């Protein structure tokens, strides 16, 4: 009786897998997503936009905030602003104004691949895939970058934290940097 039950379960599993594969092979190809950060159902303009209004449909229960065909690695909330770290750059979404802006290699990041987004003091900290650590000054929209030549252990930055005593810890591909007192510009503290 137990052997028959096991065979039935195996047969059911094979049938489900086959139905799944059949459904995938008969499904129409997925539409290509626009290269800009637009909610689902909103057509992109002819040239990809780097910033603009989102204009979410209030009748929809959820807004699917598209970031092109890029995957999302990190989300960080900073007051009314949501930062979305993707494989194609960093998207700043202002929830009050319902607008967005894309930051990428064209706007000063050394790498479009973003693994970490957070705050370091009053600046937005961005850990990148191969471009080190970048700090964005929101007022000037200027980037300051720290990479291997500045003392960073590796150009792949996965996390960052500042301790109560002011020390900064940066997680990289090849280890952790510890900056005593948090002064990134003082190489003697690394």
């Amino acid at each position: 009786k137990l052997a028959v039950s096991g065979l039935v379960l195996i047969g059911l599993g094979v049938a489900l897998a086959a139905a799944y594969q059949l459904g995938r092979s008969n499904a129409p190809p997925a539409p290509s997503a626009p290269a800009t950060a637009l909610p689902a159902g909103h057509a992109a303009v002819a040239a990809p936009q780097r910033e603009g209004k989102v204009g979410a449909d209030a009748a929809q229960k959820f807004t699917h905030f598209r970031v092109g065909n890029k995957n999302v690695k990190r989300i960080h909330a900073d007051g009314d602003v949501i930062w979305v770290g993707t494989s194609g750059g960093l998207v700043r979404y202002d929830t009050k104004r319902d607008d967005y802006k894309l930051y990428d290699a064209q706007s000063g990041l050394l790498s479009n691949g973003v693994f970490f987004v957070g705050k370091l003091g009053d600046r937005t900290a961005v850990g990148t895939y191969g471009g080190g650590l970048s700090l964005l000054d929101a007022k000037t929209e200027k980037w300051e970058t720290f990479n291997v030549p500045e003392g960073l252990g590796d150009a792949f930055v996965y996390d960052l934290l500042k301790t109560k005593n002011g020390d900064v810890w940066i997680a990289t591909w090849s280890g952790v940097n510890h900056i005593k007192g948090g002064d990134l510009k003082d190489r003697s503290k690394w």
Side-chain angles (χ1 to χ4, degrees):
K1 185 174 182 179
L2 187 56
V4 171
S5 296
L7 289 174
V8 169
L9 286 175
I10 291 171
L12 181 60
V14 169
L16 286 172
Y20 173 75
Q21 288 299 330
L22 179 63
R24 285 182 49 137
S25 65
N26 290 335
S32 61
T36 58
L38 298 173
H42 290 76
V45 293
Q49 290 184 318
R50 300 181 57 76
E51 59 186 287
K53 288 284 188 190
V54 173
D57 183 355
Q60 295 295 318
K61 187 172 182 177
F62 298 103
T63 298
H64 185 166
F65 193 82
R66 295 207 184 272
V67 290
N69 60 355
K70 310 302 182 198
N71 54 38
V72 174
K73 299 288 190 185
R74 188 71 173 233
I75 299 175
H76 173 72
D78 183 20
D80 295 326
V81 174
I82 303 295
W83 293 95
V84 182
T86 77
S87 60
L90 179 69
V91 178
R92 179 189 184 277
Y93 173 62
D94 188 314
T95 60
K96 281 207 178 222
R97 295 190 319 229
D98 196 32
D99 63 12
Y100 68 91
K101 182 169 183 174
L102 172 67
Y103 297 92
D104 60 9
Q106 291 182 24
S107 56
L109 278 176
L110 294 183
S111 171
N112 285 341
V114 175
F115 283 127
F116 171 81
V117 182
K119 291 295 273 190
L120 186 58
D122 59 349
R123 297 186 288 177
T124 301
V126 180
T128 69
Y129 184 83
L133 172 68
S134 293
L135 302 174
L136 177 65
D137 183 318
K139 293 176 184 162
T140 65
E141 291 202 347
K142 301 285 184 200
W143 291 97
E144 182 176 16
T145 301
F146 297 90
N147 212 327
V148 175
E150 289 78 32
L152 197 58
D154 196 285
F156 297 80
V157 175
Y158 298 100
D159 206 352
L160 174 142
L161 68 86
K162 186 172 186 175
T163 60
K164 289 181 183 180
N165 68 356
D167 290 357
V168 172
W169 294 78
I170 304 169
T172 72
W173 174 267
S174 40
V176 176
N177 279 89
H178 175 209
I179 299 93
K180 296 177 185 94
D183 184 1
L184 299 176
K185 292 181 181 179
D186 185 352
R187 291 281 305 267
S188 71
K189 305 293 183 179
W190 287 64

PDB file of all heavy atoms in Angstrom, residues 12-46:
ATOM      1  N   LEU A  12       2.100  12.043  -9.890  1.00  0.00           N
ATOM      2  CA  LEU A  12       1.487  13.362  -9.770  1.00  0.00           C
ATOM      3  C   LEU A  12       2.532  14.458  -9.947  1.00  0.00           C
ATOM      4  O   LEU A  12       2.308  15.444 -10.654  1.00  0.00           O
ATOM      5  CB  LEU A  12       0.786  13.495  -8.414  1.00  0.00           C
ATOM      6  CG  LEU A  12       0.075  14.816  -8.149  1.00  0.00           C
ATOM      7  CD1 LEU A  12      -1.004  15.076  -9.185  1.00  0.00           C
ATOM      8  CD2 LEU A  12      -0.505  14.817  -6.750  1.00  0.00           C
ATOM      9  N   GLY A  13       3.696  14.259  -9.354  1.00  0.00           N
ATOM     10  CA  GLY A  13       4.772  15.234  -9.488  1.00  0.00           C
ATOM     11  C   GLY A  13       5.233  15.381 -10.928  1.00  0.00           C
ATOM     12  O   GLY A  13       5.446  16.485 -11.433  1.00  0.00           O
ATOM     13  N   VAL A  14       5.385  14.258 -11.618  1.00  0.00           N
ATOM     14  CA  VAL A  14       5.794  14.286 -13.030  1.00  0.00           C
ATOM     15  C   VAL A  14       4.739  14.994 -13.868  1.00  0.00           C
ATOM     16  O   VAL A  14       5.050  15.813 -14.736  1.00  0.00           O
ATOM     17  CB  VAL A  14       6.071  12.855 -13.539  1.00  0.00           C
ATOM     18  CG1 VAL A  14       6.235  12.834 -15.053  1.00  0.00           C
ATOM     19  CG2 VAL A  14       7.296  12.281 -12.856  1.00  0.00           C
ATOM     20  N   ALA A  15       3.457  14.711 -13.608  1.00  0.00           N
ATOM     21  CA  ALA A  15       2.370  15.343 -14.370  1.00  0.00           C
ATOM     22  C   ALA A  15       2.348  16.851 -14.138  1.00  0.00           C
ATOM     23  O   ALA A  15       2.174  17.639 -15.076  1.00  0.00           O
ATOM     24  CB  ALA A  15       1.026  14.726 -13.982  1.00  0.00           C
ATOM     25  N   LEU A  16       2.529  17.292 -12.903  1.00  0.00           N
ATOM     26  CA  LEU A  16       2.555  18.733 -12.605  1.00  0.00           C
ATOM     27  C   LEU A  16       3.728  19.419 -13.288  1.00  0.00           C
ATOM     28  O   LEU A  16       3.596  20.507 -13.842  1.00  0.00           O
ATOM     29  CB  LEU A  16       2.605  18.967 -11.092  1.00  0.00           C
ATOM     30  CG  LEU A  16       1.317  18.705 -10.341  1.00  0.00           C
ATOM     31  CD1 LEU A  16       1.539  18.791  -8.837  1.00  0.00           C
ATOM     32  CD2 LEU A  16       0.230  19.672 -10.772  1.00  0.00           C
ATOM     33  N   ALA A  17       4.887  18.775 -13.249  1.00  0.00           N
ATOM     34  CA  ALA A  17       6.067  19.351 -13.902  1.00  0.00           C
ATOM     35  C   ALA A  17       5.848  19.461 -15.401  1.00  0.00           C
ATOM     36  O   ALA A  17       6.190  20.470 -16.026  1.00  0.00           O
ATOM     37  CB  ALA A  17       7.303  18.517 -13.596  1.00  0.00           C
ATOM     38  N   ALA A  18       5.261  18.447 -16.004  1.00  0.00           N
ATOM     39  CA  ALA A  18       4.999  18.480 -17.446  1.00  0.00           C
ATOM     40  C   ALA A  18       3.994  19.569 -17.790  1.00  0.00           C
ATOM     41  O   ALA A  18       4.163  20.293 -18.768  1.00  0.00           O
ATOM     42  CB  ALA A  18       4.496  17.110 -17.913  1.00  0.00           C
ATOM     43  N   ALA A  19       2.935  19.701 -16.990  1.00  0.00           N
ATOM     44  CA  ALA A  19       1.936  20.750 -17.237  1.00  0.00           C
ATOM     45  C   ALA A  19       2.572  22.131 -17.099  1.00  0.00           C
ATOM     46  O   ALA A  19       2.284  23.037 -17.890  1.00  0.00           O
ATOM     47  CB  ALA A  19       0.771  20.592 -16.265  1.00  0.00           C
ATOM     48  N   TYR A  20       3.430  22.290 -16.134  1.00  0.00           N
ATOM     49  CA  TYR A  20       4.117  23.579 -15.945  1.00  0.00           C
ATOM     50  C   TYR A  20       4.969  23.907 -17.163  1.00  0.00           C
ATOM     51  O   TYR A  20       4.922  25.003 -17.705  1.00  0.00           O
ATOM     52  CB  TYR A  20       4.980  23.525 -14.681  1.00  0.00           C
ATOM     53  CG  TYR A  20       5.855  24.741 -14.503  1.00  0.00           C
ATOM     54  CD1 TYR A  20       5.307  25.946 -14.077  1.00  0.00           C
ATOM     55  CD2 TYR A  20       7.213  24.686 -14.769  1.00  0.00           C
ATOM     56  CE1 TYR A  20       6.106  27.066 -13.923  1.00  0.00           C
ATOM     57  CE2 TYR A  20       8.019  25.796 -14.617  1.00  0.00           C
ATOM     58  CZ  TYR A  20       7.463  26.989 -14.184  1.00  0.00           C
ATOM     59  OH  TYR A  20       8.255  28.088 -14.039  1.00  0.00           O
ATOM     60  N   GLN A  21       5.769  22.928 -17.627  1.00  0.00           N
ATOM     61  CA  GLN A  21       6.621  23.146 -18.797  1.00  0.00           C
ATOM     62  C   GLN A  21       5.786  23.419 -20.043  1.00  0.00           C
ATOM     63  O   GLN A  21       6.131  24.273 -20.846  1.00  0.00           O
ATOM     64  CB  GLN A  21       7.544  21.941 -19.028  1.00  0.00           C
ATOM     65  CG  GLN A  21       8.655  21.831 -18.023  1.00  0.00           C
ATOM     66  CD  GLN A  21       9.564  23.053 -18.046  1.00  0.00           C
ATOM     67  OE1 GLN A  21       9.752  23.709 -19.052  1.00  0.00           O
ATOM     68  NE2 GLN A  21      10.143  23.353 -16.899  1.00  0.00           N
ATOM     69  N   LEU A  22       4.670  22.721 -20.210  1.00  0.00           N
ATOM     70  CA  LEU A  22       3.799  22.950 -21.354  1.00  0.00           C
ATOM     71  C   LEU A  22       3.236  24.361 -21.310  1.00  0.00           C
ATOM     72  O   LEU A  22       3.224  25.071 -22.305  1.00  0.00           O
ATOM     73  CB  LEU A  22       2.668  21.914 -21.373  1.00  0.00           C
ATOM     74  CG  LEU A  22       1.666  22.047 -22.522  1.00  0.00           C
ATOM     75  CD1 LEU A  22       2.379  21.833 -23.857  1.00  0.00           C
ATOM     76  CD2 LEU A  22       0.537  21.069 -22.357  1.00  0.00           C
ATOM     77  N   GLY A  23       2.794  24.796 -20.155  1.00  0.00           N
ATOM     78  CA  GLY A  23       2.273  26.153 -20.003  1.00  0.00           C
ATOM     79  C   GLY A  23       3.332  27.198 -20.321  1.00  0.00           C
ATOM     80  O   GLY A  23       3.064  28.213 -20.950  1.00  0.00           O
ATOM     81  N   ARG A  24       4.569  26.947 -19.922  1.00  0.00           N
ATOM     82  CA  ARG A  24       5.656  27.891 -20.212  1.00  0.00           C
ATOM     83  C   ARG A  24       5.953  27.928 -21.698  1.00  0.00           C
ATOM     84  O   ARG A  24       6.203  28.985 -22.255  1.00  0.00           O
ATOM     85  CB  ARG A  24       6.914  27.504 -19.454  1.00  0.00           C
ATOM     86  CG  ARG A  24       6.843  27.836 -17.983  1.00  0.00           C
ATOM     87  CD  ARG A  24       8.120  27.477 -17.309  1.00  0.00           C
ATOM     88  NE  ARG A  24       9.237  28.011 -18.078  1.00  0.00           N
ATOM     89  CZ  ARG A  24      10.282  28.613 -17.561  1.00  0.00           C
ATOM     90  NH1 ARG A  24      10.362  28.771 -16.285  1.00  0.00           N
ATOM     91  NH2 ARG A  24      11.260  29.046 -18.313  1.00  0.00           N
ATOM     92  N   SER A  25       5.938  26.758 -22.359  1.00  0.00           N
ATOM     93  CA  SER A  25       6.297  26.735 -23.773  1.00  0.00           C
ATOM     94  C   SER A  25       5.196  27.321 -24.639  1.00  0.00           C
ATOM     95  O   SER A  25       5.460  27.829 -25.715  1.00  0.00           O
ATOM     96  CB  SER A  25       6.626  25.315 -24.217  1.00  0.00           C
ATOM     97  OG  SER A  25       5.474  24.500 -24.119  1.00  0.00           O
ATOM     98  N   ASN A  26       3.923  27.270 -24.186  1.00  0.00           N
ATOM     99  CA  ASN A  26       2.817  27.817 -24.967  1.00  0.00           C
ATOM    100  C   ASN A  26       2.508  29.258 -24.608  1.00  0.00           C
ATOM    101  O   ASN A  26       1.691  29.885 -25.273  1.00  0.00           O
ATOM    102  CB  ASN A  26       1.554  26.967 -24.770  1.00  0.00           C
ATOM    103  CG  ASN A  26       1.687  25.618 -25.433  1.00  0.00           C
ATOM    104  OD1 ASN A  26       2.450  25.461 -26.377  1.00  0.00           O
ATOM    105  ND2 ASN A  26       0.949  24.635 -24.940  1.00  0.00           N
ATOM    106  N   ALA A  27       3.116  29.750 -23.578  1.00  0.00           N
ATOM    107  CA  ALA A  27       2.832  31.129 -23.158  1.00  0.00           C
ATOM    108  C   ALA A  27       3.450  32.107 -24.148  1.00  0.00           C
ATOM    109  O   ALA A  27       4.523  31.867 -24.683  1.00  0.00           O
ATOM    110  CB  ALA A  27       3.408  31.374 -21.765  1.00  0.00           C
ATOM    111  N   PRO A  28       2.766  33.222 -24.390  1.00  0.00           N
ATOM    112  CA  PRO A  28       3.366  34.219 -25.272  1.00  0.00           C
ATOM    113  C   PRO A  28       4.596  34.802 -24.604  1.00  0.00           C
ATOM    114  O   PRO A  28       4.701  34.814 -23.379  1.00  0.00           O
ATOM    115  CB  PRO A  28       2.256  35.275 -25.414  1.00  0.00           C
ATOM    116  CG  PRO A  28       1.390  35.088 -24.219  1.00  0.00           C
ATOM    117  CD  PRO A  28       1.481  33.630 -23.856  1.00  0.00           C
ATOM    118  N   PRO A  29       5.558  35.269 -25.385  1.00  0.00           N
ATOM    119  CA  PRO A  29       6.758  35.835 -24.780  1.00  0.00           C
ATOM    120  C   PRO A  29       6.406  37.043 -23.935  1.00  0.00           C
ATOM    121  O   PRO A  29       5.502  37.806 -24.269  1.00  0.00           O
ATOM    122  CB  PRO A  29       7.627  36.225 -25.977  1.00  0.00           C
ATOM    123  CG  PRO A  29       6.712  36.259 -27.153  1.00  0.00           C
ATOM    124  CD  PRO A  29       5.566  35.362 -26.829  1.00  0.00           C
ATOM    125  N   ALA A  30       7.116  37.179 -22.821  1.00  0.00           N
ATOM    126  CA  ALA A  30       6.878  38.314 -21.933  1.00  0.00           C
ATOM    127  C   ALA A  30       7.275  39.590 -22.649  1.00  0.00           C
ATOM    128  O   ALA A  30       8.286  39.632 -23.332  1.00  0.00           O
ATOM    129  CB  ALA A  30       7.684  38.148 -20.653  1.00  0.00           C
ATOM    130  N   PRO A  31       6.465  40.651 -22.499  1.00  0.00           N
ATOM    131  CA  PRO A  31       6.834  41.908 -23.142  1.00  0.00           C
ATOM    132  C   PRO A  31       8.100  42.452 -22.512  1.00  0.00           C
ATOM    133  O   PRO A  31       8.325  42.291 -21.325  1.00  0.00           O
ATOM    134  CB  PRO A  31       5.634  42.821 -22.869  1.00  0.00           C
ATOM    135  CG  PRO A  31       4.966  42.229 -21.673  1.00  0.00           C
ATOM    136  CD  PRO A  31       5.247  40.746 -21.721  1.00  0.00           C
ATOM    137  N   SER A  32       8.915  43.082 -23.308  1.00  0.00           N
ATOM    138  CA  SER A  32      10.138  43.660 -22.759  1.00  0.00           C
ATOM    139  C   SER A  32       9.770  44.897 -21.963  1.00  0.00           C
ATOM    140  O   SER A  32       8.917  45.686 -22.368  1.00  0.00           O
ATOM    141  CB  SER A  32      11.127  44.006 -23.869  1.00  0.00           C
ATOM    142  OG  SER A  32      10.549  44.944 -24.737  1.00  0.00           O
ATOM    143  N   ALA A  33      10.404  45.030 -20.819  1.00  0.00           N
ATOM    144  CA  ALA A  33      10.111  46.147 -19.926  1.00  0.00           C
ATOM    145  C   ALA A  33      10.828  47.397 -20.411  1.00  0.00           C
ATOM    146  O   ALA A  33      11.899  47.317 -20.986  1.00  0.00           O
ATOM    147  CB  ALA A  33      10.564  45.801 -18.502  1.00  0.00           C
ATOM    148  N   PRO A  34      10.241  48.574 -20.171  1.00  0.00           N
ATOM    149  CA  PRO A  34      10.922  49.801 -20.556  1.00  0.00           C
ATOM    150  C   PRO A  34      12.193  49.988 -19.749  1.00  0.00           C
ATOM    151  O   PRO A  34      12.328  49.462 -18.658  1.00  0.00           O
ATOM    152  CB  PRO A  34       9.897  50.902 -20.245  1.00  0.00           C
ATOM    153  CG  PRO A  34       8.938  50.298 -19.278  1.00  0.00           C
ATOM    154  CD  PRO A  34       8.950  48.813 -19.552  1.00  0.00           C
ATOM    155  N   ALA A  35      13.126  50.742 -20.280  1.00  0.00           N
ATOM    156  CA  ALA A  35      14.426  50.939 -19.631  1.00  0.00           C
ATOM    157  C   ALA A  35      14.374  51.997 -18.553  1.00  0.00           C
ATOM    158  O   ALA A  35      15.379  52.322 -17.969  1.00  0.00           O
ATOM    159  CB  ALA A  35      15.466  51.314 -20.679  1.00  0.00           C
ATOM    160  N   THR A  36      13.202  52.555 -18.271  1.00  0.00           N
ATOM    161  CA  THR A  36      13.100  53.576 -17.245  1.00  0.00           C
ATOM    162  C   THR A  36      12.261  53.064 -16.097  1.00  0.00           C
ATOM    163  O   THR A  36      11.614  52.034 -16.201  1.00  0.00           O
ATOM    164  CB  THR A  36      12.462  54.859 -17.812  1.00  0.00           C
ATOM    165  OG1 THR A  36      11.178  54.511 -18.325  1.00  0.00           O
ATOM    166  CG2 THR A  36      13.319  55.466 -18.889  1.00  0.00           C
ATOM    167  N   ALA A  37      12.239  53.789 -15.007  1.00  0.00           N
ATOM    168  CA  ALA A  37      11.500  53.390 -13.820  1.00  0.00           C
ATOM    169  C   ALA A  37      10.062  53.886 -13.936  1.00  0.00           C
ATOM    170  O   ALA A  37       9.752  54.993 -13.549  1.00  0.00           O
ATOM    171  CB  ALA A  37      12.170  53.951 -12.570  1.00  0.00           C
ATOM    172  N   LEU A  38       9.195  53.080 -14.512  1.00  0.00           N
ATOM    173  CA  LEU A  38       7.801  53.433 -14.691  1.00  0.00           C
ATOM    174  C   LEU A  38       6.917  52.350 -14.113  1.00  0.00           C
ATOM    175  O   LEU A  38       7.246  51.174 -14.194  1.00  0.00           O
ATOM    176  CB  LEU A  38       7.471  53.597 -16.181  1.00  0.00           C
ATOM    177  CG  LEU A  38       8.206  54.695 -16.932  1.00  0.00           C
ATOM    178  CD1 LEU A  38       7.892  54.597 -18.413  1.00  0.00           C
ATOM    179  CD2 LEU A  38       7.812  56.048 -16.398  1.00  0.00           C
ATOM    180  N   PRO A  39       5.763  52.710 -13.558  1.00  0.00           N
ATOM    181  CA  PRO A  39       4.853  51.688 -13.068  1.00  0.00           C
ATOM    182  C   PRO A  39       4.290  50.879 -14.229  1.00  0.00           C
ATOM    183  O   PRO A  39       4.225  51.357 -15.359  1.00  0.00           O
ATOM    184  CB  PRO A  39       3.737  52.489 -12.392  1.00  0.00           C
ATOM    185  CG  PRO A  39       4.233  53.873 -12.265  1.00  0.00           C
ATOM    186  CD  PRO A  39       5.316  54.054 -13.283  1.00  0.00           C
ATOM    187  N   ALA A  40       3.851  49.660 -13.925  1.00  0.00           N
ATOM    188  CA  ALA A  40       3.261  48.802 -14.948  1.00  0.00           C
ATOM    189  C   ALA A  40       2.078  49.512 -15.579  1.00  0.00           C
ATOM    190  O   ALA A  40       1.325  50.213 -14.910  1.00  0.00           O
ATOM    191  CB  ALA A  40       2.819  47.480 -14.326  1.00  0.00           C
ATOM    192  N   GLY A  41       1.908  49.344 -16.866  1.00  0.00           N
ATOM    193  CA  GLY A  41       0.790  49.958 -17.553  1.00  0.00           C
ATOM    194  C   GLY A  41       1.071  51.354 -18.056  1.00  0.00           C
ATOM    195  O   GLY A  41       0.230  51.963 -18.690  1.00  0.00           O
ATOM    196  N   HIS A  42       2.217  51.891 -17.781  1.00  0.00           N
ATOM    197  CA  HIS A  42       2.582  53.216 -18.247  1.00  0.00           C
ATOM    198  C   HIS A  42       3.639  53.075 -19.331  1.00  0.00           C
ATOM    199  O   HIS A  42       4.705  52.537 -19.096  1.00  0.00           O
ATOM    200  CB  HIS A  42       3.135  54.067 -17.098  1.00  0.00           C
ATOM    201  CG  HIS A  42       2.085  54.452 -16.117  1.00  0.00           C
ATOM    202  ND1 HIS A  42       1.585  53.566 -15.198  1.00  0.00           N
ATOM    203  CD2 HIS A  42       1.421  55.605 -15.928  1.00  0.00           C
ATOM    204  CE1 HIS A  42       0.664  54.172 -14.472  1.00  0.00           C
ATOM    205  NE2 HIS A  42       0.549  55.410 -14.893  1.00  0.00           N
ATOM    206  N   ALA A  43       3.334  53.563 -20.504  1.00  0.00           N
ATOM    207  CA  ALA A  43       4.256  53.436 -21.631  1.00  0.00           C
ATOM    208  C   ALA A  43       5.425  54.398 -21.468  1.00  0.00           C
ATOM    209  O   ALA A  43       5.262  55.516 -20.996  1.00  0.00           O
ATOM    210  CB  ALA A  43       3.527  53.725 -22.929  1.00  0.00           C
ATOM    211  N   ALA A  44       6.579  53.941 -21.851  1.00  0.00           N
ATOM    212  CA  ALA A  44       7.752  54.802 -21.828  1.00  0.00           C
ATOM    213  C   ALA A  44       7.704  55.721 -23.043  1.00  0.00           C
ATOM    214  O   ALA A  44       7.145  55.382 -24.073  1.00  0.00           O
ATOM    215  CB  ALA A  44       9.030  53.963 -21.866  1.00  0.00           C
ATOM    216  N   VAL A  45       8.284  56.887 -22.904  1.00  0.00           N
ATOM    217  CA  VAL A  45       8.382  57.794 -24.038  1.00  0.00           C
ATOM    218  C   VAL A  45       9.465  57.276 -24.972  1.00  0.00           C
ATOM    219  O   VAL A  45      10.216  56.370 -24.642  1.00  0.00           O
ATOM    220  CB  VAL A  45       8.688  59.229 -23.570  1.00  0.00           C
ATOM    221  CG1 VAL A  45       7.527  59.805 -22.807  1.00  0.00           C
ATOM    222  CG2 VAL A  45       9.937  59.279 -22.754  1.00  0.00           C
ATOM    223  N   ALA A  46       9.581  57.863 -26.131  1.00  0.00           N
ATOM    224  CA  ALA A  46      10.506  57.375 -27.154  1.00  0.00           C
ATOM    225  C   ALA A  46      11.925  57.229 -26.633  1.00  0.00           C
ATOM    226  O   ALA A  46      12.551  56.208 -26.812  1.00  0.00           O
ATOM    227  CB  ALA A  46      10.463  58.292 -28.359  1.00  0.00           C
TER     228      ALA A  46
END
